[in-house]
Amino acid sequence: MRILLTGIAGFIGFHVATTLLERGDEVVGLDNLNSYYDVRLKKTRLSRIARHSGFSFVLADLSDRDAMERTFAATRPERVIHLGGQAGVRHSISDPHPYVQSNVLGFLHVLEGCREHRVDHLVFASSSSVHGANAALPWSVHQGADHPLSFYAATKKSNELMAHAYAHVHQLPVTGLRFFTVYGPWDRPDMAMYKFASAIVEGRPLDVYNEGRMRRDFTYVGDVVDGVIRALDHPARPNPAWSGSAPDPATSAAPYRLYNIGSGRPTELLTYITLLEEAFGKRATTRLLPMQPGDAQATWADIEEARVDLGYAPRMPLEEGIRRYAAWFKEYYLA
């Protein structure tokens, strides 16, 4: 199967591409290699992917309409995994413009390419952050998600709405995946695990927001990859029981589905830090701070729909996942 994978040099994209290539798929990877974080890390990921046969790379920006049209025309993918876009909840508060260019306009270009070339199935990355101010835990895809707490979350919610419109008007099968606090080897330097790990190793204070009274549904990247590929292999179909008089946000009369991809096991932030201390063999110095704008106090994924429909079953215990992360961190940054 020929798959176009956007954001291939990114954290999750790297792992998804590697797994697809190892199972024998042909992968066309697209990325703009922007400088949001260290480009050397992105290029190192790419160099590892390039060891596999069946891989080709396109250097292009999602917001460049002509480049996206050329990519679809030249590669004619059967299915598309859209993981590209501008990441970062907090960065979106101070610099929102790239989020419109990449996450909204860029996603339109992906949708248009899928429509024009009759792609069998589009799987795209949404985010747990769309659940926003919803205080009813665990967060279910059947709940409304209309009160985002950050501009990043608002762009991801817009992706879900745009995708449904294309599924309805053009009968394009589309599946959206709401990722919950992904962690693991090859992560981004702006992510919490890297920030905490580097502070512990360097003996710097850890900034802990809401004085540590936070819970997160930490999800190992290997489990996320499994969810992405299971979704890819199960093209979205219409829900014959869907009703406009009681609309279900997660399904539709169109070929459209939404799933949470998380561990289903929320963990206290201070427990998470303790596990990192054990993995690195060093005590952390914490600096307790107030809640930051854009943050949710707790996240918790209801993954029942993904379990039933896709057979998704996250397996990695947090303790083992953090040990694997620490081993990679030491090899990549400290060796």
Side-chain angles (χ1 to χ4, degrees):
M1 184 161 51
R2 185 182 302 112
I3 299 160
L4 173 62
L5 197 164
T6 71
I8 195 164
F11 169 38
I12 300 174
F14 161 72
H15 288 282
V16 172
T18 301
T19 302
L20 289 171
L21 289 162
E22 286 175 348
R23 78 171 192 175
D25 290 310
E26 180 182 349
V27 176
V28 178
L30 183 145
D31 206 292
N32 67 354
L33 299 179
N34 70 22
S35 58
Y36 173 61
Y37 62 88
D38 190 352
V39 176
R40 291 173 298 178
L41 177 58
K42 299 180 182 183
K43 289 183 175 179
T44 302
R45 294 183 188 129
L46 271 182
S47 69
R48 289 177 172 254
I49 299 170
R51 298 173 183 174
H52 299 271
S53 61
F55 170 67
S56 58
F57 177 65
V58 177
L59 179 64
D61 194 295
L62 293 168
S63 65
D64 184 335
R65 179 177 177 178
D66 291 340
M68 294 300 293
E69 289 177 350
R70 288 194 301 270
T71 298
F72 272 91
T75 62
R76 296 192 173 274
E78 298 167 76
R79 297 186 182 179
V80 174
I81 301 175
H82 177 54
L83 303 178
Q86 180 59 56
V89 167
R90 291 170 185 164
H91 185 63
S92 74
I93 297 171
S94 60
D95 188 15
H97 293 89
Y99 292 81
V100 174
Q101 284 293 112
S102 187
N103 296 4
V104 180
L105 181 60
F107 189 51
L108 173 61
H109 295 157
V110 171
L111 289 168
E112 273 291 279
C114 291
R115 175 196 64 79
E116 183 174 354
H117 295 279
R118 300 183 180 277
V119 166
D120 294 339
H121 189 202
L122 166 63
V123 175
F124 71 95
S126 185
S127 167
S128 63
S129 64
V130 302
H131 288 282
N134 187 351
L137 295 170
W139 283 339
S140 166
V141 288
H142 300 296
Q143 297 168 326
D146 299 318
H147 297 85
L149 299 178
S150 69
F151 190 66
Y152 168 75
T155 65
K156 287 300 184 179
K157 177 63 177 178
S158 77
N159 288 171
E160 296 180 1
L161 299 176
M162 293 163 70
H164 182 269
Y166 268 70
H168 173 74
V169 174
H170 304 294
Q171 292 301 296
L172 170 67
V174 187
T175 299
L177 304 178
R178 294 174 175 174
F179 297 144
F180 278 70
T181 317
V182 187
Y183 76 96
W186 299 97
D187 68 341
R188 303 194 315 264
D190 67 321
M191 301 180 85
M193 184 162 283
Y194 172 85
K195 289 182 176 180
F196 287 172
S198 60
I200 290 171
V201 167
E202 296 169 13
R204 292 183 287 104
L206 277 66
D207 289 342
V208 181
Y209 296 99
N210 201 36
E211 299 182 341
R213 296 189 298 273
M214 300 176 77
R215 289 188 300 160
R216 287 291 180 267
D217 194 316
F218 295 104
T219 313
Y220 189 70
V221 66
D223 288 328
V224 171
V225 170
D226 181 61
V228 171
I229 294 177
R230 285 177 181 275
L232 180 74
D233 292 343
H234 290 79
R237 293 182 173 85
N239 175 8
W242 193 88
S243 170
S245 60
D248 173 11
T251 68
S252 176
Y256 174 82
R257 285 289 190 274
L258 284 177
Y259 296 106
N260 286 333
I261 301 296
S263 69
R265 300 182 298 270
T267 301
E268 297 286 343
L269 189 59
L270 294 179
T271 299
Y272 169 76
I273 293 171
T274 297
L275 291 172
L276 278 168
E277 289 176 323
E278 293 172 357
F280 283 99
K282 294 185 69 174
R283 294 283 296 174
T285 302
T286 57
R287 182 163 53 197
L288 302 181
L289 299 171
M291 193 75 157
Q292 275 209 322
D295 274 356
Q297 185 166 333
T299 68
W300 179 4
D302 180 344
I303 57 175
E304 180 65 11
E305 294 302 314
R307 184 189 68 79
V308 171
D309 292 354
L310 308 177
Y312 173 67
R315 294 177 172 83
M316 180 62 70
L318 184 61
E319 296 82 357
E320 176 61 22
I322 288 179
R323 281 194 291 270
R324 294 189 185 189
Y325 177 79
W328 168 80
F329 185 100
K330 292 171 186 176
E331 179 182 356
Y332 186 79
Y333 289 108
L334 304 181

